Each structure stands twice: as C-alpha cells, then as structure tokens.
Amino acid sequence: MGKDISIKVCMGTGGIAAGGVEVMSAFDTAFSAAGITASVEKNCSMHKVGCRGFCARDVLVDVSVNGSKATYEYIKADMVERIVQEHIVEGNPVNEWLVKDDYHTFHDKQVKVVLSDCGEVDPEEIDSYIGREGYEAIKKVLTSMSPEETTKVIEEAGLRGRGGGGFPTAVKWQMALRAPGPVKYLICNADEGDPGAFMDRSVVEGNPHALIEGMIIGAYAIGAPYGYVYIRAEYPLAVERLYRSLQQARERGFLGKNILGSGFDFDIKVKLGAGAFVCGEETALIASIEGKRGMPRAKPPFPVQRGLWGKPTIINNVETLANVPYIVRKGAAWYAGFGTDKSKGTKVFALTGKIQNSGLIEVPMGIPLKEIVYDIGGGIEGGRKLKAVQTGGPSGGCIPAAMVDTTMDYESLARVGSIMGSGGMVVLDETDCMVDVAKYFLHFTESESCGKCVPCRVGTKRLLEILNRITEGRGREGDMDLLAELSTDVKTSSLCGLGQGAPNPILSTLKHYRDEYEAHIYEKRCPAGVCKDLLTYSVLEEFCKGCMACIRVCPAGAIVGEKKQPHRIVQDICIKCGACFETCKFKAVKKG
Amino acid sequence: MEEQLEGIVTRHRENEGNIISILQDIENEFGYLREDAIYWVSERLDIPPAKFYGVATFYAQFHLKPKGKNVITACCGTACHVKGSERLINSLVKELDIPPGEDTSEDLRFTVEKVNCVGACSIAPVIIVNKAVHGKVSPDKLMKEIKGLKAGASKN
Ligand SMILES: Cc1cc2nc3c(=O)[nH]c(=O)nc-3n(C[C@H](O)[C@H](O)[C@H](O)COP(=O)(O)O)c2cc1C
Ligand code: FES
C-alpha cells in the first residue's frame, strides 16, 4: 500500500482507565486482519503516549496517514475495526467520531512548555524523547557552560518554584552551589499531596525524561553528585515509567559516572512515599527519605544548610525541574516572554470539578481566570452557574465568581486571598456549599496534621468541630468570630506550612460567603442543598405520578404509597441520601 | 515466613534500606504488617519494635490488619468529593457489610480503603477495584461492579 501510518493512543492513568490497553490491542488485531502489518511493515507504528490533558475524552487516538493527522475521541476497542477499515484502508476518516470544535478551543489558549512533548513522545522509549531534541540541553550545559552560567540562564528566565511557594529557583541553586563540601543532594519532590491535582503525575507518566534531564542540569548547577525522586506510591504507573526511564538514561550514559565524558558524576534513586501529605514539606520529606516518621522541624537551618543526612540539599518540584531543559534549549528570553513581569513563564493547572472540559492545562501566567473557565474549560457543566474556583488545595482559598477577572499570577492571587499553590483548580457551581468545602479541607488537614506542634494538632481539630456543628444544624451565635480568631492563631503559630495554611479555606470562605455561614447558623438551612442534616426531602403531590421508582431505590424503605397514587416520605426513617431526588423523572421530590 | 524475611533483610543491607523500605517490603510480601514478621526483623536488625510501629502508624499506606481478598479504593480527593464520592463510599460500606470503624468485612472478602487523590481527577469520581481504575463512577455502575465481584467471590 506504501502508506506511512502512525497511531498514538493515550495511555496515561486516564487513558488506561477508559480502556487504552484494549484499544491498543484492538489496533494490533485489526492491522493483522486487514493485512496492513505485513504490507507496510516498518512504516506502520503504534505508540503509547502520555496525557495530553483532555482525559475526560479518553480514549483519545491520533491516526496519521502519510503525515496528515486526525484525532478521535471516546474510542472504545469495538470501534477500532471501523476506523482501520474506513480511515486507513479506504482513506475516509470516520467523521462522527473525530474530535469536535471544543477539542480545539480547549487547546487554543494554551501555551505548552513543560507539556509540549506530553502526548507526543512515547514515555517508555528514550529515543522518542531524543528524537524531539531531548537530552540536547544537558549536552549543551556539560560541554559549554559552567554551573554559574547554567544558573544564570534560569535566573534570566525568571523561573519560580512550581511546588507552591514560588521561590526563585536560581536563588536556591546559587546558595547550594556556595554550600561547602563535596556531598550535596538534589531531591525532586513528586509527592503531589494536594488532593485534586495531578500535574506532576502527568509529567512523570507522560514525559519522564524531561524531568530526568532537568534534574541532571540542576545537579550540575549546584554540584550535587546524588539525586532522589520522592514520589507517592499512589501513582503506580508513574513510578514504573520513572524506573524504566532512569535505567534507559543510565544505559545511554546520561546518568552515572563521568556523564558524556564531562567528568561530572550524578545518579538518581527513587524513594516511594507512604501516604502522608505532610511529607511534601521539605524537612518532613527529608525525614521520610531517612526512613523516619515524616515530621517537619523548625527552619533555620534550611535544607540548603543542613538537609538530607545533614548535607546541603535542594528540593525542587517536578514541574520546576521539567521546565529546565526547555529553558536551556530555547533560551531564557524565550521563556521570560511568557507570563507577567513578576510571574514569568507558564503554569500547569489541573482543571477539575464542575467544569465542562476537565483536564490538564498549561497557560501563560497572568491569564485571566475567566478565559480558563469559559474558553479553555468550556464553561460550567450542565449549564449551571459558576460559584467559585478553589485554587491551592488545602492551603488555598476560593476565588468567587464575581472576581473571575482575576489574573493567574502569584501577586494577583494573593490579593484576592488565595494562592497559586501547586496547580489544583477545582471549579465549584451553585450546587456546592462553601461551608462544606471548608469543612472538607479542614477534615483533610486535621487528619494529615503530623501532631508535632500544638496549634496545628489541636487547632485544626477545634476548627473542624466548629464546622461540623455548623453543618449539622448546631451552629451557635459567635461561631463565625470564633472561627476567624482561632484561624488566625493557628496560621501564625504553627510550625510548618501545613498548619500555617490550614485555616486559609475557612478564612477565604468566611470573607466571601458570610451569608452562607449565616444561613447555616441562624436559619439552619444549607442554601446549596448539600449539608445532609439540614435537608428534608418531600414529595410534591401535584407532580408525583405514582410510578414507584423512588420506592424501589430508597435504601431505607422510607417511602410509602400505592401505584398511581402520590407517594410520601416518612421523615423519621429517611436517611437523606438523595437517591429518590436523583431518580425521580418528574421532579416530584423536593429538597430543601 | 523466615525465608522471605531473610530476603528482605539482605536486600535492606545491600541497598542501604531503612525502616520505611523494610515495612514496604513486608507489606508487599504478606499483604499487611504481620506482628511476628516485625518482631523477627526487629530482633534480627537489633532495632526495637517500637521504632517499626512508630513509622508504621504514621503513614497511611501501612496496614496492621490483613486486607480483604478484594480491595476497593475510593478516592476522597477534592474533585471526587465535589462529584459525590461520599455517597459512593457510604453505599460501598453498606453493601459490603464493613463494620463501623473498620475497613475490612468480617469474612475478609472485601476491604474498602479511602485515599486522598489518585491523580485521575478529570474523570472524577474515581474508584479503584483491585488495581483497575474506574472513572466517572455512578452509584448504579458501582453496584453492578460490586454485585459481579460478590458473585465471583462467593464462587471461590
Ligand atoms: C504541607 C506541605 C505540603 C507540600 N506538598 C508539596 C508537594 O506535594 N509537592 C511539591 O512539589 N511541593 C510541596 N510543598 C512545597 C515544598 O515544601 C517545597 O517548597 C517545594 O517542593 C520546593 O520546590 P520548588 O521551589 O521547585 O517549588 C509542600 C509544602 C507543605 C508545607
Ligand atoms: S480527587 Fe479523586 S482522583 Fe483526584
């Protein structure tokens, strides 16, 4: 046939969950069946690729025939045969399954640096990365640049830490280079503890070699012979690909002794996290690598003075490090050209929650939140109204819908009482209760508090108790003031970032959504209809057709009534699970 | 048991392991942290058992009790929370007869675990059934899956 065929199947965690493995083998089967494998041989290739961001549409499949590419969405294994027959054999793409316009609007406003190769390279093949100029940056650094010059490039690019703090990376590196002694450590923080965020997972799964290359450059810049990646065990696929990539990099001489003949030695070990959010904090992370309970300690001394095993140590986030090879390759000026004056470059966000197009996005810093939600995100799911966007996870805050013009840079976010954080962005709509959201985060921090310092250990517990009683209809006069006061105490007196940030979700919702707190406390009412104890379900007789659907789904047996007669909910038995509300086709169940 | 533990200790010596990696190895080998295994290793390495338990109880990943034959992991991350994971968990616990305050059914057939986020938030809510990730889970879909597992489990 003489055709050049390439198939790319999205095989990140999202892709695999949607059936990526089956799709891939269906292509294999269909190719042999149609005799394509035999007729074009080498010119037919199939690749797994990492996440391209739009996991909600998985399985996404790129089919290229003689260089012209088409992308299919929501592909299942049983659809493959038709694609192979019509598109590849007969040359007519299956239009109804191709991605629609919104796939393109999702990508149009994005600028991809860290993610530029994710979804393009095969993460399990080092040659695929090398084929896209991978490992060119480390060659350039080792052959023509001093550690100081390397750091200078990062300084000019204006790269700031993407792990949440936003500290200038070059400043950290300069301190580490000046630290005395031959033994230093570079640690990559891949703990990604913010629940609702998956930027780092996608980078490690989708383009692990960029991270490895970034680590080698960083290690060279600070003079560290040893590196660690501290990665959470909840990411099995990322861990597997990381191990594989490290081995490939060693085989090619990018890791180990005398890298590329330069005399520079560096190797990387992997340490698996064991499920503790606080281990994302630098000193706790170090304790955890040393095999201890992951408890933070007071700073100073900072890790760059006394870190892992007492030696100077630098900790950088995955995204920070994965940016480095691209900056070195394309130049500081190019990178600094994106973003704002003080927040340069791009940022990856995990756009999730009640958004139409949920996924992983990379945007220039300083982009208005509005464009993320309505252009890239395609607006709110189900045509409902935006209520708020939560950024920064458990240490972050909510940006209310009225402030959707806020731009996404460190300074503007601080001004509205939220933070950039590591990139989690959870969109909330009118059916979300802000008191419940605050309670959710406090429940998280309370259970993740390591217990070392009193303000955090006891403070988060008391804060959670107050929120619990408010949402259960036992809120008291003065609770809001008490919350605000205690929050300020916990914030100012906790030992580490976990406690210092924990009250933020409360403070930010108190500031923007006082009326919701008041409704819970004084009227014993949850305006969004989320807090179970404040809800009652009842049947609107005029709409009830007596179809018995609710009676069948009610797990408590709380609904009574005859066929074709209006039903009734027995309040004493009702457990308020909402099953009837969701089942009723006639909107005859009232919540409120 | 001793043979497996001997292997773990040797690996530990070769790779400059630490208490966490030993516990991870024991958990991988036996499915949970068996008390006799911890005491054996503790004696062997001359590290007090309290050190092992101090670490084991700090990290969410370790289990001091045996897990069920089927492990169902429910994500409780923010994205999954706002998409209704709590209801899924409640129905799991109820359907599988998990006693209050426990995570494993008495007959050791099912364990329901909660984790903070599995990083698949764009297909929330997420439930992992025996290592297979399921996205956009609805109560109906989940119950179908569970009923299938229950039927399978009772056959074995
Ligand atoms: C409680 C807590 C959890 C954290 N979790 C993470 C995390 O999961 N990933 C991360 O990169 N940084 C996390 N950080 C920030 C790190 O401590 C550290 O600032 C960061 O890894 C530095 O890298 P960067 O300069 O490249 O951002 C956390 C901080 C705190 C206080
Ligand atoms: S919040 Fe459930 S996968 Fe992230």
Side-chain angles (χ1 to χ4, degrees):
Chain A
M1 281 197 318
K3 277 184 190 165
D4 223 346
I5 302 163
S6 145
I7 309 288
K8 288 183 176 171
V9 183
C10 184
M11 293 263 252
T13 298
I16 291 177
V21 177
E22 293 76 17
V23 168
M24 191 105 169
S25 66
F27 268 107
D28 222 5
T29 319
F31 278 165
S32 327
I36 296 174
T37 329
S39 67
V40 292
E41 287 183 359
K42 279 205 202 88
N43 294 336
C44 170
S45 58
M46 268 200 286
H47 301 282
K48 321 178 169 180
V49 294
C51 185
R52 57 187 91 199
F54 218 169
C55 319
R57 297 289 166 92
D58 271 327
V59 180
L60 287 162
V61 178
D62 282 343
V63 175
S64 309
V65 180
N66 295 332
S68 105
K69 181 174 100 174
T71 305
Y72 290 98
E73 62 184 12
Y74 295 124
I75 294 306
K76 299 264 169 267
D78 57 8
M79 299 157 83
V80 168
E81 202 182 320
R82 187 168 153 207
I83 295 178
V84 170
Q85 184 58 32
E86 295 184 16
H87 188 160
I88 299 176
V89 177
E90 295 163 18
N92 306 311
V94 187
N95 284 324
E96 62 203 87
W97 294 342
L98 288 175
V99 291
K100 312 290 175 301
D101 282 348
D102 57 357
Y103 181 82
H104 301 289
T105 43
F106 179 77
H107 286 107
D108 280 350
K109 290 211 168 161
Q110 298 195 45
V111 174
K112 299 207 172 183
V113 176
V114 187
L115 298 182
S116 56
D117 290 328
C118 277
E120 296 296 333
V121 299
D122 182 337
E124 300 189 353
E125 282 302 329
I126 190 170
D127 284 320
S128 173
Y129 179 63
I130 292 176
R132 293 175 63 94
E133 295 183 47
Y135 289 107
E136 288 301 319
I138 188 61
K139 285 184 195 153
K140 180 168 162 192
V141 166
L142 289 181
T143 52
S144 65
M145 291 163 80
S146 68
E148 290 83 358
E149 283 165 346
T150 310
T151 306
K152 187 89 192 143
V153 174
I154 300 305
E155 185 182 349
E156 283 165 9
L159 181 63
R160 294 170 66 172
R162 299 289 192 251
F167 193 79
T169 305
V171 176
K172 264 194 186 169
W173 288 9
Q174 278 154 358
M175 287 191 282
L177 182 64
R178 283 198 297 267
V183 178
K184 295 177 196 173
Y185 295 96
L186 173 72
I187 301 176
C188 168
N189 188 346
D191 196 39
E192 195 153 63
D194 173 1
F198 54 101
M199 301 75 53
D200 297 346
R201 171 183 70 76
S202 304
V203 171
V204 180
E205 271 178 19
N207 195 5
H209 285 288
L211 170 63
I212 295 172
E213 189 178 6
M215 284 188 75
I216 308 170
I217 298 172
Y220 175 75
I222 65 173
Y226 309 107
Y228 282 93
V229 179
Y230 186 85
I231 185 166
R232 59 199 309 237
E234 287 90 337
Y235 289 174
L237 184 64
V239 172
E240 182 196 317
R241 290 194 177 155
L242 184 62
Y243 273 117
R244 185 194 305 251
S245 307
L246 286 171
Q247 191 49 37
Q248 291 171 347
R250 257 177 230 126
E251 283 161 11
R252 300 297 175 93
F254 295 121
L255 286 174
K257 296 264 174 245
N258 191 15
I259 297 173
L260 303 175
S262 64
F264 173 62
D265 303 338
F266 178 66
D267 209 337
I268 300 174
K269 282 191 186 161
V270 178
K271 281 281 171 189
L272 293 189
F277 172 64
V278 71
C279 288
E281 197 278 339
E282 302 188 323
T283 56
L285 189 154
I286 288 171
S288 179
I289 292 188
E290 291 173 352
K292 302 180 194 146
R293 288 166 70 99
M295 309 252 239
R297 60 160 174 78
K299 295 186 271 192
F302 290 96
V304 66
Q305 299 157 312
R306 273 181 65 88
L308 186 59
W309 318 115
K311 302 293 183 203
T313 301
I314 284 294
I315 298 177
N316 275 130
N317 166 259
V318 172
E319 193 187 327
T320 314
L321 289 165
N323 263 303
V324 169
Y326 296 96
I327 295 173
V328 170
R329 232 188 287 153
K330 300 194 177 166
W334 167 80
Y335 190 78
F338 304 115
T340 67
D341 200 26
K342 284 194 179 146
S343 307
K344 292 196 194 327
T346 59
K347 177 78 194 90
V348 181
F349 289 102
L351 183 61
T352 63
K354 306 293 179 61
I355 187 91
Q356 191 71 32
N357 303 334
S358 171
L360 194 71
I361 61 168
E362 181 169 1
V363 288
M365 295 242 211
I367 187 176
L369 180 60
K370 197 169 53 185
E371 290 183 19
I372 295 184
V373 173
Y374 293 106
D375 298 342
I376 298 174
I380 308 302
E381 222 178 34
R384 287 189 296 267
K385 257 176 48 200
L386 172 71
K387 184 171 206 174
V389 177
Q390 206 281 344
T391 65
S395 323
C398 291
I399 306 165
M403 297 188 181
V404 73
D405 288 324
T406 306
T407 53
M408 301 306 287
D409 52 82
Y410 293 101
E411 292 71 27
S412 309
L413 284 168
R415 231 173 290 132
V416 299
S418 192
I419 59 167
M420 176 86 77
S422 57
M425 193 181 260
V426 184
V427 177
L428 305 171
D429 69 16
E430 53 201 353
T431 62
D432 289 304
C433 166
M434 302 314 281
V435 186
D436 177 71
V437 169
K439 182 174 88 169
Y440 167 80
F441 281 116
L442 258 291
H443 177 73
F444 178 84
T445 37
E446 187 262 344
S447 61
E448 292 295 333
S449 169
C450 79
K452 183 166 175 172
C453 76
V454 176
C456 174
R457 180 181 70 229
V458 183
T460 53
K461 200 167 185 70
R462 295 288 99 86
L463 287 169
L464 178 61
E465 281 168 6
I466 301 171
L467 290 171
N468 274 339
R469 73 170 178 246
I470 294 178
T471 55
E472 285 163 10
R474 295 178 289 111
R476 306 175 197 153
E477 178 73 47
D479 269 353
M480 286 195 288
D481 294 336
L482 189 59
L483 277 177
E485 190 188 332
L486 188 52
S487 290
T488 316
D489 293 342
V490 172
K491 205 172 151 81
T492 43
S493 54
S494 289
L495 173 66
C496 85
L498 193 154
Q500 290 158 9
N504 286 348
I506 299 182
L507 291 170
S508 124
T509 47
L510 265 180
K511 180 169 159 193
H512 299 299
Y513 298 95
R514 272 196 98 74
D515 54 332
E516 282 195 35
Y517 279 88
E518 283 164 359
H520 283 77
I521 298 174
Y522 302 115
E523 300 165 32
K524 312 290 177 212
R525 187 171 66 82
C526 175
V530 172
C531 299
K532 245 169 70 174
D533 296 296
L534 304 181
L535 292 180
T536 40
Y537 290 92
S538 52
V539 176
L540 296 167
E541 293 199 1
E542 62 272 35
F543 295 118
C544 179
K545 302 265 189 271
C547 72
M548 317 239 344
C550 59
I551 297 183
R552 276 194 295 274
V553 296
C554 179
I559 309 180
V560 292
E562 302 289 315
K563 203 170 165 105
K564 299 210 171 130
Q565 298 292 321
H567 302 335
R568 189 168 59 84
I569 300 177
V570 184
Q571 296 301 335
D572 292 347
I573 309 178
C574 173
I575 55 167
K576 300 173 183 178
C577 70
C580 53
F581 180 79
E582 272 160 42
T583 305
C584 182
K585 288 200 205 88
F586 310 104
K587 295 204 162 46
V589 178
K590 186 175 142 233
K591 177 162 88 167
Chain B
M1 178 185 87
E2 293 196 5
E3 200 177 315
Q4 290 138 307
L5 290 176
E6 199 71 65
I8 291 175
V9 169
T10 317
R11 232 175 308 153
H12 161 76
R13 294 214 165 104
E14 280 168 3
N15 304 332
E16 313 156 33
N18 57 37
I19 292 188
I20 297 181
S21 54
I22 295 175
L23 290 173
Q24 283 170 336
D25 282 351
I26 297 180
E27 174 112 13
N28 279 343
E29 196 70 52
F30 303 107
Y32 75 106
L33 299 177
R34 278 172 59 161
E35 189 176 319
D36 50 356
I38 292 193
Y39 274 80
W40 191 93
V41 174
S42 142
E43 198 146 299
R44 192 59 198 267
L45 297 173
D46 203 15
I47 301 172
K51 284 245 177 212
F52 286 95
Y53 280 104
V55 171
T57 51
F58 185 85
Y59 294 101
Q61 196 193 56
F62 297 119
H63 300 82
L64 300 177
K65 292 183 188 163
K67 274 186 281 189
K69 202 160 165 185
N70 294 288
V71 179
I72 301 166
T73 311
C75 177
C76 302
T78 321
C80 292
H81 175 77
V82 301
K83 293 260 181 144
S85 62
E86 204 177 320
R87 271 193 57 196
L88 295 178
I89 295 165
N90 289 344
S91 59
L92 274 175
V93 167
K94 193 156 177 283
E95 179 69 31
L96 297 173
D97 282 328
I98 312 284
E102 298 287 329
D103 57 9
T104 302
S105 61
E106 270 161 14
D107 56 7
L108 288 184
R109 269 167 48 189
F110 290 97
T111 291
V112 176
E113 280 186 328
K114 299 181 195 173
V115 292
N116 283 336
C117 173
V118 297
C121 325
S122 52
I123 49 172
V126 178
I127 302 270
I128 304 178
V129 180
N130 294 327
K131 299 210 167 137
V133 178
H134 296 257
K136 301 181 192 166
V137 178
S138 65
D140 289 353
K141 232 164 93 180
L142 182 63
M143 281 309 124
K144 223 184 249 165
E145 184 80 27
I146 297 300
K147 297 238 160 81
L149 271 183
K150 267 182 141 175
S154 56
K155 257 184 247 142
N156 305 331

